[in-house]
Amino acid sequence: MSPFRYARAADVSDAVRQAQAAGSRFLGGGTNLVDLMRETVERPTALVDVTGMPADIGESADGGLVIGAAARNTAVAEHPLIRTRYPMLSRAIVAGASAQIRNMATVGGNLLQRTRCAYFYDNGGSRCNKRQPGEGCDAIDGFNRYHAILGASPSCVAVHPSDMCVALAALDAAVNVESVHGARSLPFAELHRLPGDLPQIDTCLEPGELITALVLPPLPIARHSTYRKVRDRSSYAFALISVAAALDVQDGIITDVRLALGGVAHKPWRAHEAEALIRGKPPEPAVFLAAADAELSAAQPLPGNRFKIELARRTIAAVLSELAGEQA
Amino acid sequence: MTIAVNGTIVSLPDDPRVSLLDLLREHLHLPGTKKGCNQGACGACTVLADGERILSCLALAVQYEGRAITTVEGLATDEGLHPLQAAFIEHDGFQCGYCTPGQICSAIGMADELRRGVPSHVTRDLAAPVIALTHDELRERMSGNLCRCGAHNGIVEAIAETFAELVP
């Protein structure tokens, strides 16, 4: 691990001021960044510890929820209002990592965790455009079982690893950020980006911007929501495919739906096309499968992950059928 | 800059690169906590920070300034072994023993999470105020601790017996 300076931020303004120093990074629970530093994939010269920033979870004036970015993953998953109003978010969090890691990891850090592509981690042994721009990508012709089928580019086929973020994409969350230049809020869908020609850039945050809070809108449909993760072992593994979904059925017709996919792209994938095909239809497997087919029609699988198209298709239909069954 | 380890206040290292795991093993000579993968994949380094289970390999020691760390060395009292330690012996909850300190610290933290009502991946009813430590809940909640010897049956028996008040 390369040497670095460490300082604990006193408050948000102190944190963003300290982060102006070249080579500095914010440090949350450390569950991803410390590992990447040990592998010399990340080499910050200064760490600004932001675990002491606001971690409260509370109702907003409009009936939504505000979650301080320093809240630990476990605190979010166990919160009574999240369990009852946004169950897909609790379920997504407890589907990820292990209990020890969820006790350490912060919400802000979860949003900014980096891909677990093995070639990204293999510093010195493999080529990776995300780690070393312009170097090439060894995943495209390598072991790409876990890689993207949607929105990838010739320079990067990595996927975003977070489960929590898939739920947040489906929930139309917003992200509050702050820097020395001021505060702003951006839709969750605009936080992460597709790789294009700049796979080294994961998000649309400006340098020095700190995530201070997550904002969940009041969303009654989210009470009927869940998260399903399909992986190579039944616990403590990253997703092959995951589905976050919410469904509202009135008098035999789907009045509203939210659908997002994990394990398929460089960012949590909101399935807008499928949602549009589901609204107004009866909650039947054929409807769900047709919507999944439409969403996945743009998929470009790699030799090792062709199975993900059928797996995503079936998982989408199974999760939506489950939610429909609960409201029958 | 200090940290409490098993009730003793000690100084934190000057170099912020030192992990909590290396502080315990190399600086404080408490080798009970094990270094397995050193990348957050095996759970052998699990310790309790203010009663919560964490991975000491992914923790920079400086981040835990002022916190109270409990390792496997801190579980026994003058009265004898912690009941879970005794149960691991009784039920053969190990073969080589390398994962055992992490398993034991993890299970103690797990029991507290369950008493608090923290849900898991296999919890059916998220709204339930009380979650019972069923076989499936126990295995899911301990899935962050790997055992390459395959001593899982003994591990599960030892945990279920020790925390019998949580078992349905």
Side-chain angles (χ1 to χ4, degrees), chain A residues 27-66:
Chain A
L27 175 68
T31 58
N32 187 212
L33 183 55
V34 169
D35 193 27
L36 288 167
M37 288 167 63
R38 198 170 275 147
E39 298 292 334
T40 68
V41 175
E42 298 264 16
R43 291 174 215 187
T45 52
L47 290 182
V48 181
D49 186 338
V50 292
T51 54
M53 301 301 97
D56 299 338
I57 301 172
E59 281 189 274
S60 52
D62 66 356
L65 282 183
V66 179

Side-chain angles (χ1 to χ4, degrees), chain A residues 1-4 6 8 27-31 34-35 38-39 47 49 51 74 77-78 83-84 87 90-91 94-95 98-101 103-104 231 234-236, chain B residues 16-17 19 38-42 46 52-55 57-60 62-65 106 113 116-121 123-124 126 128 131 140 143-145:
Chain A
M1 201 183 286
S2 303
F4 58 87
Y6 168 88
R8 202 175 288 202
L27 175 68
T31 58
V34 169
D35 193 27
R38 198 170 275 147
E39 298 292 334
L47 290 182
D49 186 338
T51 54
T74 301
E78 74 172 305
R83 289 159 73 163
T84 51
S90 278
R91 294 224 180 266
V94 297
S98 67
Q100 291 97 313
I101 291 172
N103 284 342
M104 303 171 76
R231 41 190 163 172
S234 62
S235 186
Y236 202 14
Chain B
R17 289 177 293 181
S19 68
N38 208 33
Q39 58 178 14
C42 76
T46 302
E52 287 213 322
R53 52 180 170 166
I54 61 162
L55 297 180
C57 77
L58 294 181
L60 296 177
V62 285
Q63 282 205 283
Y64 289 79
E65 182 193 358
S106 184
E113 290 162 13
R116 215 165 73 210
V118 177
S120 86
H121 175 59
T123 304
R124 289 232 170 80
L126 280 185
I131 302 166
E140 163 62 23
S143 68
N145 293 82

Side-chain angles (χ1 to χ4, degrees), chain A residues 5 11 33 76 81 93 198:
Chain A
R5 285 178 290 113
D11 52 35
L33 183 55
V76 180
L81 293 180
I93 292 171
L198 296 168

Side-chain angles (χ1 to χ4, degrees), chain A residues 119 139-148 157 302-305 308:
Chain A
Y119 301 98
I140 289 175
D141 294 315
F143 182 72
N144 44 43
R145 175 175 176 77
Y146 296 99
H147 290 73
V157 293
L302 297 158
N305 68 12
K308 279 193 176 186

Side-chain angles (χ1 to χ4, degrees), chain A residues 82-325:
Chain A
I82 291 172
R83 289 159 73 163
T84 51
R85 296 184 189 175
Y86 309 92
M88 70 157 76
L89 182 54
S90 278
R91 294 224 180 266
I93 292 171
V94 297
S98 67
Q100 291 97 313
I101 291 172
R102 295 191 295 269
N103 284 342
M104 303 171 76
T106 62
V107 162
N110 189 317
L111 266 52
L112 298 184
Q113 65 179 303
R114 309 207 68 190
T115 185
R116 296 314 198 283
C117 174
Y119 301 98
F120 173 66
Y121 265 74
D122 187 23
N123 197 7
S126 305
R127 296 177 305 151
C128 171
N129 288 320
K130 186 182 280 296
R131 173 165 35 76
Q132 187 64 48
E135 183 179 56
C137 169
D138 277 341
I140 289 175
D141 294 315
F143 182 72
N144 44 43
R145 175 175 176 77
Y146 296 99
H147 290 73
I149 56 172
L150 290 166
S153 75
S155 64
C156 184
V157 293
V159 295
H160 195 266
S162 170
D163 292 293
M164 184 178 83
C165 286
V166 182
L168 294 173
L171 292 171
D172 294 316
V175 183
N176 291 350
V177 302
E178 193 167 328
S179 74
V180 291
H181 306 296
R184 67 181 178 123
S185 180
L186 69 160
F188 186 80
E190 293 173 20
L191 175 64
H192 299 100
R193 57 183 296 283
L194 292 175
D197 296 329
L198 296 168
Q200 67 273 28
I201 303 175
D202 291 347
T203 73
C204 300
L205 295 181
E206 299 294 332
E209 276 189 326
L210 173 68
I211 295 175
T212 56
L214 263 180
V215 180
L216 301 182
L219 197 65
I221 187 179
R223 286 179 179 271
H224 307 290
S225 70
T226 194
Y227 183 78
R228 189 180 296 190
K229 181 177 186 181
V230 184
R231 41 190 163 172
D232 276 331
R233 56 184 188 195
S234 62
S235 186
Y236 202 14
F238 288 96
L240 291 165
I241 291 289
S242 69
V243 173
L247 195 72
D248 188 35
V249 181
Q250 305 284 342
D251 302 324
I253 295 295
I254 297 164
T255 55
D256 203 3
V257 61
R258 295 288 186 283
L259 186 65
L261 309 177
V264 296
H266 195 257
K267 60 183 287 186
W269 192 268
R270 178 69 179 271
H272 286 292
E273 195 173 346
E275 288 181 6
L277 288 169
I278 292 169
R279 283 194 193 95
K281 302 272 175 55
E284 294 167 1
V287 169
F288 300 144
L289 287 169
D293 285 339
E295 189 68 44
L296 296 163
S297 64
Q300 292 188 303
L302 297 158
N305 68 12
R306 196 168 293 278
F307 70 95
K308 279 193 176 186
I309 297 176
E310 184 64 21
L311 185 60
R313 177 178 185 267
R314 294 187 192 195
T315 309
I316 290 168
V319 169
L320 292 171
S321 295
E322 176 189 320
L323 289 170

